[in-house]
Every structure is written in C-alpha cells, then in structure tokens.
Amino acid sequence: MRGGQGAARAPVIQFTNCRILRGGALLREDLWVRGGRILDPEKLFFEERRVADEQRDCGGCILAPGFIDVQINGGFGVDFSQASEDVGSGVALVARRILSHGVTSFCPTLVTSPLEVYHKVLPQIPVKSGGPHGAGVLGVHLEGPFISREKRGAHPEAHLRSFEADAFQDVLATYGGLDNVRIVTLAPELGHSQEVIRALTALGICVSLGHSVADLGTAEEAVQSGATFITHLFNAMLPFHHRDPGIVGLLTSDRLPAGRHIFYGMIADGIHTNPAALRIAHRAHPKGTNTLSGSIAPMDTCVRHFLQATGCSVESALEAASLHPAQLLGLEKRKGTLDFGADADFVVLDDSLHVRATYISGELVWQVEEARP
Amino acid sequence: MKLIILDHYSQASEWAAKYIRNRIIQFNPGPDKYFTLGLPTGSTPLGCYKKLIEYYKNGDLSFKYVKTFNMDEYVGLPRDHPESYHSFMWNNFFKHIDIHPENTHILDGNAADLQAECDAFEEKIKAAGGIELFVGGIGPDGHIAFNEPGSSLVSRTRVKTLAMDTILANARFFDGDLAKVPTMALTVGVGTVMDAREVMILITGAHKAFALYKAIEEGVNHMWTVSAFQQHPRTVFVCDEDATLELKVKTVKYFKGLMLVHNKLVDPLYSIKEKEIEKSQSSKKPYSD
C-alpha cells in the first residue's frame, strides 16, 4: 500500500464561495484541503468517488497563498540579533504574532553581530513547520557581517568583517556553522566574495546582495557565481546611475546566466521606498518582486501599500508576497502556491486585502475578532 | 416526436433545462428510486447545464437521487486531460451540483479491455433500471453520440473510430491541430439510447440544420443515425430557429403552432421547495377528506 493511506482517511474540507489565486489569476473556484495539503477535487471525485466531509463558506473572500517574509529582524519587542539565553521564545512570539499579518512562513533575520552572538543564537533557531503555535521558520537570513562599511545602515560598525584569505572557512568560523541558515546577504565587492558565493550556493544557501557599493559589473559577476536575491532594493546600495546602474541594474541586466532571473526584496511600507521607485522596479522586472516587511510594517500593510503605490493587479501584489519568495527559496512546489499537492498554507482576505483568517496545513491558526452585537 | 422550436440558443437551453427539472421533480426520486439521466458533452448542452446548476443553487432542484450515464469518452486521452469528457463533466456540471460521485458513470477510455468496459457499462445501465431520460445532441453528420454514419441502428456500447467530419468538428478543442484529436472513442450504441424510456435531443445552430432535416424529414437511415429516433415512442427535439433552416416551412409552422400545448410541459415549473411546503402542509391536515 502507498504511504498516503493515513492521509486518505483524513477529512476533506471544501472552502466554498471564494476566489482563489491560482495560475496568476483570481478564479471563482472552491479550495479543497486534505491532510494539510491542497487537494485535486476532480481526482477525488473520479478516482476515490468521495465528496467533502465539511464545507466552509468563505463569504466571497479572496484565498491567497500564505505570505512568506524572507527578511524580518524581530518585532513586538523582540530583536532576533540580541544574544539571549532563550532566543527560541522570541522567535516563537514573533512567529505567533505575524499570523495576524497573513504570514505563514518566514526567515528570522540577524543583522551584523559579533561571533559570540552567531554562535549562541543560530543553534537556537531551527527550521520548524508552522501551525497553531505560529508561522513556520524556513531558516535564518544572515544579513551581514560581510557587508560594506559605507552602506552599513544601522548595522554596528565594530562587527563588520571582510573575508580572510581562506574565505569560506572564515565564513564558517564567523557563523559557527551553517545549519539552519537559508539566506546570506553580503557585499560582492569584498575580496574573495565570489568564491564564498559559489560555496554557499553549492550548499543550497540563497546568496543575496545588499549593504554594498558594488558596481553593476561586480554585481553581475556575483549573480554568475550564484547570487539570486537583492536585499531591500534601493536601500543601502548605490543609487541608480545612468552610466553605472549598480546593483539596481541587475533588474534589467542582459548578462545574467541563461534562464535565471534575479529576485529582489522591497520594503513597501511607505517610508523606505518612494512609490515611484517601487513602480520603476516593478515595471522593469515584475516577476522578481518580493514584498518585505523587515519588521517595521506588517506584511499585509506592505502588500496593500505595494498594490496602491504601483497600481499593479491584486494578483501581482499577492504573488510578490507569496509565490516569488517561494521561488527564491526553491520551495514553489510546496509553498507560496495553491496548486494541488502544495501545503495548505493560505490567507483569507477581503477585497481591500485585509486579513480575515490565516490557515497553516489546512488548520485555522488565526482569525479576526468579529465585533459581537 | 415533439419538435420544440425556440428563437435563440439561450431560450432553447432554458426550455430543455426546465423540462429536465420538471421530469426529475415529478418523478419524485428517493433513496430507493433514482432518476436515471443520460448526458451529452459538447458546446450545445453548455447553456442547459448552466441553467440546471442555477436551479440547484437556488434550491429548486437536487441531484441527490439522480444517477447519470454519459454517452461517450475518447479512447487514450488521460482522464485529467482538459479535453477529456471526464474533465468536461466535472468542470461544467458535476463540481457545481450535489450529485454523489458514485452515482455518475462515464466510460473509461483508458480501460485495459475496452470492449469489456463497454459491456460493463451496459450492465450498469441495466442494474440502475434503465435510463429514464437520455439527453443527447446531434453531430453535423447526423450522428448521435459517436455513432458515426454507417453505425448499426441497433448497436450497443462499443469502440468506434471517428469519422473525418467529427475529427474536423472537434479539432477546435485541440488547438485546431487535427493530429491531436483522438481517433477512437467509446460510445453508447443507437440501440442503447433507443432503450431509454424518453429521449431528448438538443440541436442548435445553422450548422446543424441539414443534419436535423435528414434526421426528421427523411427516412430512417444508418447514415444519419439520429433518424433512428423516428421509431422511438417518446422523443423530444429542442431547437433554436437557426437549426430549422433546412426544414419545410410546413413542418416548422406545424410545430410552432403546437408550442402552446408543449409549453405546458415546462409551465408550471416545479421546485423541490414546493414539495417541502406541500409535505408540511399535508401533515397539518388533522383529518383526511
């Protein structure tokens, strides 16, 4: 017998009266869920000859894949980069609170820190599935310390580093190991960075460019070595210049490896990026847009702001917060999508894209408090 | 036969849907008495399916005690191919209504033994007590289901090779590429449909006009297999104006004149809601009359 025997006995839930985001469009279709995954109802009908065990009316709402935040430094009084004996509780608190923002998976982000902090904190943030306890942890995003002094932003200068001669060993020594690490942001103009990028990419870690004064040529080389992401585009990098567009130029570069495109995060909170800048980037390269909250504004606020600022379609705004981050991390078969077989992590939104309810693995993990009469 | 002529496609679809609705409700199906319905695919019945879905969504009709038997399915096309008749029925009908999957029957074009599959289908119809109402369409070559010109008028469910006319007509569903259209199909026979207690044929559009003429104004002929229903005691043809373009003016005038009588079949239009009201009212009667 196939291993799915147990799952086949799990109840089938049919979410009706809704519009679901599938294939880049909002379709008037029901969403079927079983055993924590999105189910193909046609297969259920013709092969198993079964109907739904439970129907839930979604009141005409939009069902979108759960949002994925790949850069969140903390929130609700918690700072992930603070060395504490109990980092786990801080991560758990944030994981639970962001459910109300529609986030079902995230990458806790550590800013530039001393070695001791990395060695102490990293082992306390394991990859973890989401559920009623909170959004899932996909892995840690290490933003620094191998970044540019000039573009450090709020990162502490004392702990910035450049690569030693045996660069990859230096990286391992700095972080104390790469278990639990999903994304590393670095500045590609630093010496030996290309070999580091190649080594990290070979380990399946996503390399992102940010906090950097790299020119376009250096940035393109970094992409050729394996970099796939740009951390908060426009912020902490050289501004676009018509003779050397810098990292921003990657959005339209023709020197990227064939078949690959670059993803980029933008903090669409209304403060970090001017709406016109959001529009320029999105229009230049719509398939690469990733919405970030960065722990400042809630993710759903950023999605709404991005929609309003760029005038893009609802589908585009939703994909920027779900499908694109999943594609960046190579998870698009399981996350960031409502395709059959994907994890049933989704968010129920009203027409103005306010979160009404959040589901992880088909289980309701958060819903808005209705005012009781 | 009854020839029902409506002005446009939408009205023809609606008339047909109302007729099916009334037949099901008046039959009063229940757990021991299912209404067996034969169903077609293609573009002609789409409007009718939409109306039936509407009746279900409004609470006027239920398919809980209805068993369906589809006419045909392509051979060799994966069941989940967007152009398979399984996909058609799911997307255009089954997924929108309250029918139980076990009460639906569609031939399996990927069965290991195709003829055994066809024989089993005939047995299933028999086991269900025969078909109460078989709804079908007509091909431009006058075929019913995939009973192509030359099919025996007493044929049963079997494998058929599709005629060029049919392949051409179906190419539009396969990106206009003739090479992609399946060449064989499993189909109920003319005899299988003739066994139904009642038959309703939907025919709309000018491109079907010649086939309709051949089917009802000329003789019974295996080259125009729909003509077999001239020998069925209860057949209803539901058409739009355009489908009657090749008929004699006399035929059209005669049947249009009968619309006053024929419309009584769909008016009054019954609803299961009334049955609920009737049930509760009759239970209030303390004495019998």
Side-chain angles (χ1 to χ4, degrees):
Chain A
M1 274 293 183
R2 280 179 297 140
Q5 188 69 338
R9 279 192 225 107
V12 174
I13 310 174
Q14 181 187 0
F15 293 87
T16 64
N17 191 10
C18 53
R19 285 158 288 155
I20 69 174
L21 181 69
R22 188 176 278 160
L26 279 177
L27 308 172
R28 215 161 195 328
E29 292 280 353
D30 295 343
L31 186 74
W32 293 64
V33 174
R34 176 169 68 180
R37 303 263 187 113
I38 311 282
L39 182 66
D40 181 350
E42 187 179 346
K43 217 167 155 171
L44 183 77
F45 190 93
F46 286 126
E47 284 182 18
E48 294 180 53
R49 317 287 253 159
R50 271 181 68 178
V51 292
D53 296 296
E54 188 195 332
Q55 287 187 331
R56 285 192 207 170
D57 188 322
C58 296
C61 283
I62 293 172
L63 263 52
F67 299 146
I68 300 174
D69 197 347
V70 299
Q71 189 183 344
I72 171 165
N73 304 76
F76 315 103
V78 174
D79 178 354
F80 296 138
S81 306
Q82 261 210 309
S84 105
E85 296 303 319
D86 187 14
V87 173
S89 302
V91 173
L93 188 133
V94 172
R96 205 178 66 249
R97 297 292 293 271
I98 56 179
L99 291 177
S100 67
H101 304 164
V103 178
T104 53
S105 300
F106 71 112
C107 294
T109 307
L110 300 188
V111 297
T112 296
S113 305
L115 269 61
E116 308 84 64
V117 169
Y118 290 122
H119 294 202
K120 190 179 189 114
V121 168
L122 271 181
Q124 295 187 58
I125 314 181
V127 169
K128 192 174 174 182
S129 297
H133 54 271
V137 175
L138 295 173
V140 176
H141 178 165
L142 295 172
E143 195 186 353
F146 302 101
I147 55 174
S148 152
R149 190 161 300 270
E150 293 162 56
K151 292 294 180 187
R152 68 185 184 276
H155 291 224
E157 185 170 359
H159 303 299
L160 298 178
R161 291 174 72 90
S162 49
F163 299 111
E164 302 294 310
D166 194 355
F168 186 63
Q169 288 309 313
D170 189 16
V171 167
L172 286 177
T174 304
Y175 296 136
L178 291 169
D179 296 341
N180 307 336
V181 175
R182 202 68 189 80
I183 307 174
V184 172
T185 293
L186 50 76
E189 70 272 19
L190 296 178
H192 305 286
S193 63
Q194 301 305 330
E195 67 192 70
V196 170
I197 297 173
R198 280 191 291 273
L200 289 173
T201 306
L203 287 174
I205 292 175
C206 167
V207 176
S208 181
L209 308 178
H211 287 278
S212 156
V213 295
D215 56 23
L216 182 56
T218 309
E220 282 165 341
E221 212 190 318
V223 174
Q224 279 151 19
S225 296
T228 51
F229 196 51
I230 303 172
T231 298
H232 46 57
L233 186 80
F234 299 124
N235 304 107
M237 58 186 65
L238 291 175
F240 178 92
H241 185 282
H242 55 283
R243 275 196 289 276
D244 188 339
I247 292 176
V248 179
L250 287 176
L251 264 58
T252 47
S253 165
D254 59 358
R255 289 186 49 214
L256 303 185
R260 258 222 278 136
H261 73 242
I262 193 91
F263 290 94
Y264 56 98
M266 294 204 287
I267 304 179
D269 61 354
I271 298 162
H272 280 71
T273 333
N274 184 291
L278 290 177
R279 276 194 291 274
I280 286 179
H282 183 66
R283 283 184 203 172
H285 183 34
K287 284 191 154 58
T289 324
N290 279 231
T291 318
L292 303 175
S293 70
S295 94
I296 296 142
M299 185 60 132
D300 60 316
T301 304
C302 291
V303 170
R304 286 191 296 275
H305 183 262
F306 181 78
L307 176 73
Q308 182 254 317
T310 59
C312 67
S313 63
V314 168
E315 294 88 330
S316 272
L318 294 174
E319 284 191 332
S322 58
L323 178 65
H324 295 169
Q327 287 172 329
L328 168 71
L329 298 178
L331 298 171
E332 67 269 25
K333 290 256 177 310
R334 297 280 299 269
K335 304 276 186 205
T337 165
L338 295 179
D339 287 347
F340 304 136
D343 292 350
D345 297 350
F346 60 94
V347 59
V348 181
L349 303 159
D350 62 23
D351 281 341
S352 58
L353 301 191
H354 283 84
V355 181
R356 310 285 304 163
T358 307
Y359 284 80
I360 291 182
S361 289
E363 208 184 331
L364 179 67
V365 296
W366 183 85
Q367 69 180 337
V368 69
E369 288 286 314
E370 301 288 6
R372 311 232 171 244
Chain B
M1 70 165 177
K2 297 187 179 74
L3 181 63
I4 313 288
I5 305 171
L6 286 308
D7 289 344
H8 297 295
Y9 173 76
S10 51
Q11 287 136 322
S13 302
E14 188 172 12
W15 200 99
K18 283 180 176 174
Y19 187 80
I20 296 170
R21 168 173 157 175
N22 269 1
R23 286 283 276 111
I24 294 175
I25 294 173
Q26 286 180 302
F27 183 87
N28 197 16
D32 307 312
K33 188 182 148 199
Y34 278 78
F35 187 95
T36 45
L37 187 60
L39 292 177
T41 53
S43 43
T44 307
L46 284 175
C48 180
Y49 282 134
K50 283 202 173 78
K51 289 306 282 185
L52 289 172
I53 292 166
E54 194 187 298
Y55 299 152
Y56 160 69
K57 289 207 148 76
N58 290 338
D60 291 312
L61 179 61
S62 167
F63 293 88
K64 194 168 171 199
Y65 298 116
V66 173
K67 284 192 177 146
T68 66
F69 291 86
N70 265 72
M71 294 189 127
D72 41 25
E73 174 62 285
Y74 290 116
V75 167
L77 208 60
R79 197 217 68 234
D80 56 6
H81 188 284
E83 291 304 325
S84 81
Y85 287 169
H86 281 79
S87 295
F88 178 96
M89 290 308 297
W90 168 254
N91 286 308
N92 292 303
F93 198 45
F94 295 151
K95 81 177 177 196
H96 304 280
I97 57 173
D98 64 340
I99 194 159
H100 197 282
E102 304 222 310
N103 293 331
T104 66
H105 303 275
I106 309 181
L107 285 155
D108 176 9
N110 293 300
D113 184 344
L114 293 175
Q115 193 50 51
E117 169 70 11
C118 294
D119 296 339
F121 200 72
E122 290 273 345
E123 287 304 311
K124 283 181 196 145
I125 294 175
K126 210 180 281 175
I131 308 273
E132 193 57 39
L133 171 64
F134 218 127
V135 182
I138 191 173
D141 59 1
H143 71 221
I144 175 88
F146 277 130
N147 292 287
E148 306 289 56
S151 294
S152 159
L153 298 180
V154 294
S155 50
R156 311 303 307 183
T157 306
R158 69 222 183 282
V159 186
K160 282 293 284 184
T161 303
L162 305 187
M164 182 47 83
D165 271 345
T166 305
I167 293 178
L168 288 171
N170 286 356
R172 65 201 158 110
F173 299 122
F174 292 87
D175 303 320
D177 184 354
L178 292 183
K180 286 194 185 144
V181 185
T183 53
M184 295 205 298
L186 302 183
T187 177
V188 292
V190 182
T192 316
V193 184
M194 281 289 287
D195 280 352
R197 287 182 273 289
E198 186 174 6
V199 177
M200 179 164 88
I201 311 283
L202 302 176
I203 310 182
T204 57
H207 59 300
K208 300 283 176 83
F210 191 73
L212 177 60
Y213 150 67
K214 279 288 184 183
I216 66 174
E217 283 190 342
E218 298 270 294
V220 173
N221 186 329
H222 68 172
M223 284 298 168
W224 301 88
T225 49
V226 175
S227 63
F229 298 99
Q230 293 178 27
Q231 297 198 296
H232 190 288
R234 279 176 85 191
T235 301
V236 182
F237 288 89
V238 182
C239 322
D240 62 359
E241 276 284 349
D242 284 348
T244 64
L245 287 172
E246 294 283 353
L247 299 180
K248 286 206 178 99
V249 174
K250 189 157 93 173
T251 310
V252 174
K253 279 194 168 174
Y254 173 68
F255 284 103
K256 276 195 169 170
L258 283 173
M259 281 309 285
L260 227 59
V261 173
H262 290 157
N263 274 333
K264 293 194 182 140
L265 295 165
V266 295
D267 178 19
L269 187 60
Y270 296 107
S271 163
I272 53 175
K273 284 183 198 158
E274 291 160 14
K275 296 241 141 194
E276 300 281 315
I277 298 170
E278 261 178 40
K279 263 193 232 159
S280 59
Q281 276 176 354
S282 60
S283 68
K284 281 187 193 144
K285 272 195 205 161
Y287 312 106
S288 57
D289 291 341

